[in-house]
Amino acid sequence: MDLSSFLQALIPSWNSAYLLLGFFAYLAIAGSIVLGKLVPGVVLADGTRLHYRCNGLVLLLLLVALLGISAKMDFVSPTAISERGFELLSTTFIFSFLVTLALYFAGCKSHSKSSSLKPHTTGNLIHDWWFGIQLNPHFMGIDLKAGMMGWLLINLSVLAKSIQDGTLSKSMILFQIFCALYILDYFVHEEYMTSTWDIIAERLGFMLVFGDLVWIPFTFSIQGWWLLANEVKLTTTTIIANCPVFLIGYMVFRGANKQKHVFKKNPKAPIWGKPPKVIGGKLLASGYWGIARHCNYLGDLLLALSFSLPCGISSPVPYFYPIYLLILLIWRERRDESRCAKKYKEMWTEYRKLVPWRILPYVY
Ligand code: NDP
């Protein structure tokens, strides 16, 4: 694609805006009706606390079923998303910008009596809009579910386009299966996400909204878009070799996150059938957490790699996601390490001695 057609494709459209508004209307309406476990978020500055409704799995399955039926009855086109990739991207970008502006003004209003809000200089305004004011990312019943759902919807539409074009390949099928399993697993374990960094520490500003609505769905699906335009012939051996990367990645990622979650709830719960090794009553030093201090990141990286391997090695483009994730998680691990060193002091020093590896044993 040359520059002028790329710029042309980026022009936002009303059709893209309707698609987006339909998606958010569904999330806001169905999200407030469909029941799910209520999990408390962190305490806000004014002492109140929002609750997350973990109904993502039902919402997602219902949406896919509704879209499937509507497509069958010719109400919507299954390729509606994949046919307007770039314009949908720019429309979502503008939407994120406008939503965070609205949130910013709403946040200012509700925090106007709070002494924590700094005087309004231009620097503060930009900082507050970028990083947000309000903790517990949540807007009109919509929370961090939107990005992961959007990612699956884009993938499915790309799949429909490849079927329509007659280019469906084993690579596309493998990529679709791995991503769909990962996204479904995310929603099965949605409750675990309420204790992650994005929810407990990040505020609802442009950075988070852009990351969730634009970055996750549009960049994590690059492999699918790439496969639409490029043919890859995978051999059966390559397919068989791809599967362990996904399975081992999944086992380590889910296993490590689950062990920590269980440990935080009950520090005496057995890990791999044995009593856990615990430092100072607070830090788990057995199971995956006895192999590397962020084994969960290793699992996530293997999963990311497994989404790209079906594209072969002829181009670096489909490897955007694993490369980005590698950089992000190395940076995040360093930030988390210094946070934990401050919080846990000698306990953390002892943990580092016992478990010297950060992410990948014997390498890093
Ligand atoms: P973690 O789930 O690794 O949480 C880190 C926190 O866990 C620490 O701050 C500390 O918190 C606690 N902790 C650390 N070590 C121990 C231990 N040994 N025993 C007990 N508690 C410990 O971090 P994230 O929230 O960053 O990541 C969650 C998941 O999300 C990961 O699997 C990650 O790969 C994934 N992720 C994916 C991204 C993507 O773009 N695909 C982006 C970012 C994350 P405390 O003070 O509470 O004890």
Side-chain angles (χ1 to χ4, degrees):
M1 185 185 270
D2 60 28
L3 185 64
S4 75
S5 13
F6 172 67
L7 293 176
Q8 187 77 22
L10 265 180
I11 297 173
S13 72
W14 283 112
N15 279 341
S16 293
Y18 297 144
L19 280 180
L20 210 56
L21 288 175
F23 177 49
F24 288 116
Y26 169 80
L27 285 181
I29 297 167
S32 58
I33 298 169
V34 173
L35 297 178
K37 188 172 174 185
L38 278 183
V39 178
V42 291
V43 179
L44 302 174
D46 61 2
T48 60
R49 198 176 218 191
L50 293 174
H51 284 73
Y52 284 91
R53 193 181 286 212
C54 295
N55 55 5
L57 187 64
V58 180
L59 281 186
L60 179 65
L61 297 178
L62 184 65
L63 179 60
V64 172
L66 287 174
L67 288 175
I69 294 167
S70 310
K72 197 95 189 133
M73 296 170 81
D74 279 339
F75 288 150
V76 292
S77 160
T79 56
I81 298 175
S82 52
E83 271 161 7
R84 41 177 70 83
F86 285 117
E87 63 171 65
L88 199 56
L89 170 81
S90 55
T91 310
T92 316
F93 180 86
I94 293 171
F95 181 83
S96 308
F97 182 83
L98 295 176
V99 163
T100 47
L101 268 191
L103 282 171
Y104 170 75
F105 288 115
C108 282
K109 218 171 160 189
S110 67
H111 284 70
S112 58
K113 287 182 191 143
S114 161
S115 55
S116 65
L117 205 66
K118 293 162 257 142
H120 282 178
T121 63
T122 310
N124 287 344
L125 288 175
I126 295 173
H127 179 279
D128 287 347
W129 166 73
W130 183 266
F131 289 106
I133 297 174
Q134 185 81 1
L135 263 177
N136 284 224
H138 199 269
F139 173 65
M140 280 175 59
I142 303 164
D143 51 33
L144 291 174
K145 294 176 183 76
M148 296 298 280
M149 285 191 191
W151 180 16
L152 185 71
L153 294 185
I154 289 179
N155 281 357
L156 292 178
S157 185
V158 163
L159 175 68
K161 180 95 178 91
S162 76
I163 294 171
Q164 192 186 67
D165 294 352
T167 59
L168 182 64
S169 61
K170 289 177 191 161
S171 307
M172 179 65 90
I173 295 173
L174 208 57
F175 162 74
Q176 291 285 344
I177 293 175
F178 288 165
C179 288
L181 288 174
Y182 180 78
I183 297 167
L184 286 175
D185 175 78
Y186 172 93
F187 285 111
V188 168
H189 297 97
E190 193 181 356
E191 189 189 335
Y192 293 5
M193 296 315 294
T194 56
S195 59
T196 59
W197 179 271
D198 285 347
I199 290 191
I200 60 174
E202 297 284 21
R203 289 165 196 273
L204 190 55
F206 181 74
M207 189 178 78
L208 194 71
V209 172
F210 170 82
D212 192 40
L213 299 187
V214 182
W215 188 260
I216 292 180
F218 288 95
T219 65
F220 290 15
S221 57
I222 282 178
Q223 302 92 321
W225 297 106
W226 188 84
L227 282 171
L228 270 186
N230 296 275
E231 193 187 351
V232 178
K233 286 207 170 95
L234 280 190
T235 62
T236 310
T237 322
T238 324
I239 295 173
I240 294 171
N242 266 202
C243 293
V245 180
F246 175 81
L247 293 173
I248 295 170
Y250 177 75
M251 196 177 71
V252 176
F253 166 77
R254 185 48 64 213
N257 284 327
K258 193 169 182 181
Q259 282 179 353
K260 178 160 71 81
H261 187 79
V262 168
F263 172 76
K264 296 274 181 193
K265 281 194 161 174
N266 172 16
K268 290 191 179 140
I271 299 286
W272 289 340
K274 290 186 195 151
K277 197 184 281 178
V278 181
I279 299 174
K282 301 264 182 193
L283 293 171
L284 175 62
S286 56
Y288 289 108
W289 299 86
I291 296 173
R293 299 197 297 277
H294 265 102
C295 232
N296 51 348
Y297 288 0
L298 173 63
D300 216 358
L301 287 167
L302 286 173
L303 283 167
L305 185 64
S306 78
F307 303 158
S308 299
L309 286 173
C311 301
I313 50 167
S314 64
S315 164
V317 175
Y319 288 84
F320 177 85
Y321 176 49
I323 293 168
Y324 146 77
L325 195 65
L326 179 69
I327 297 167
L328 176 87
L329 293 182
I330 287 179
W331 178 55
R332 196 182 263 232
E333 191 278 335
R334 299 244 160 197
R335 285 160 75 206
D336 195 47
E337 177 84 15
S338 68
R339 180 184 166 273
C340 290
K342 273 188 210 123
K343 180 175 174 183
Y344 291 111
K345 301 192 171 68
E346 313 77 49
M347 279 184 261
W348 194 257
T349 315
E350 197 184 329
Y351 182 42
R352 284 186 59 142
K353 271 193 209 137
L354 203 64
V355 185
W357 302 105
R358 290 172 183 270
I359 295 177
L360 179 61
Y362 303 105
V363 177
Y364 180 73

